[in-house]
Amino acid sequence: MTETDHTTQHDITEGGTIKLVVPDNREGQRLDHYLVEKVSSVSRSRLGKLIHNGFILVNGSTSKAGNRLKRGDNIVVNLPEPEPVAIEPEKVSFEVLFEDKDILVIAKPPGVVVHPAAGHRKGTLVHGLLNHCDSLPGITAWKGPA
């Protein structure tokens, strides 16, 4: 855990934790608004989800985004590691232009998403490649946001 003062912005990486103490001039400010100003490496939306899911504690307890802060409140922000998600092979349409034991050249059709992302958890080129190839080390799991 990194102890921090209450006068600067802070970056946090996955798996990291920061501790903030609410100064006098921030009393009455909403928790989510305070965090947006203080934790520059995390989006407002993600901070809201972290609060909702209990990864941000105020004085050791879960809180709501609209909670009004008091001078001296201790806020602990935990940014969890993304959880690996298994990618199951799926039939996805693409044209194989060349293939041998070391290389695969394809023509990706327009509109086919390359890899899983928000809103595209299935039907991506990665899913199709796993279905087509016997082995693709390194793309059997991916890490998405918590």
Side-chain angles (χ1 to χ4, degrees), residues 92-108:
V92 176
S93 183
F94 56 84
E95 181 184 354
V96 176
L97 302 176
F98 175 81
E99 181 175 8
D100 68 17
K101 70 178 187 71
D102 296 314
I103 191 167
L104 175 66
V105 179
I106 65 166
K108 182 186 87 61

Side-chain angles (χ1 to χ4, degrees), residues 10-119:
H10 305 282
D11 288 332
I12 186 172
T13 58
E14 273 115 10
T17 299
I18 59 172
K19 182 177 178 183
L20 302 166
V21 178
V22 177
D24 295 346
N25 65 342
R26 298 298 184 173
E27 186 161 356
Q29 188 172 15
R30 288 173 50 120
L31 172 62
D32 56 348
H33 294 179
Y34 178 73
L35 291 174
V36 166
E37 292 177 18
K38 293 296 174 191
V39 186
S40 58
S41 59
V42 180
S43 72
R44 177 185 300 266
S45 171
R46 182 124 189 247
L47 285 167
K49 289 175 186 172
L50 291 169
I51 294 167
H52 180 76
N53 292 327
F55 289 102
I56 296 176
L57 304 176
V58 178
N59 299 323
S61 300
T62 59
S63 185
K64 293 185 177 185
N67 180 48
R68 299 289 175 173
L69 297 172
K70 297 180 182 82
R71 178 183 57 84
D73 278 349
N74 291 298
I75 301 170
V76 177
V77 179
N78 296 296
L79 190 59
E81 290 278 351
E83 301 219 4
V85 177
I87 300 175
E88 297 295 324
E90 291 180 45
K91 177 74 174 141
V92 176
S93 183
F94 56 84
E95 181 184 354
V96 176
L97 302 176
F98 175 81
E99 181 175 8
D100 68 17
K101 70 178 187 71
D102 296 314
I103 191 167
L104 175 66
V105 179
I106 65 166
K108 182 186 87 61
V112 173
V113 175
V114 174
H115 57 81

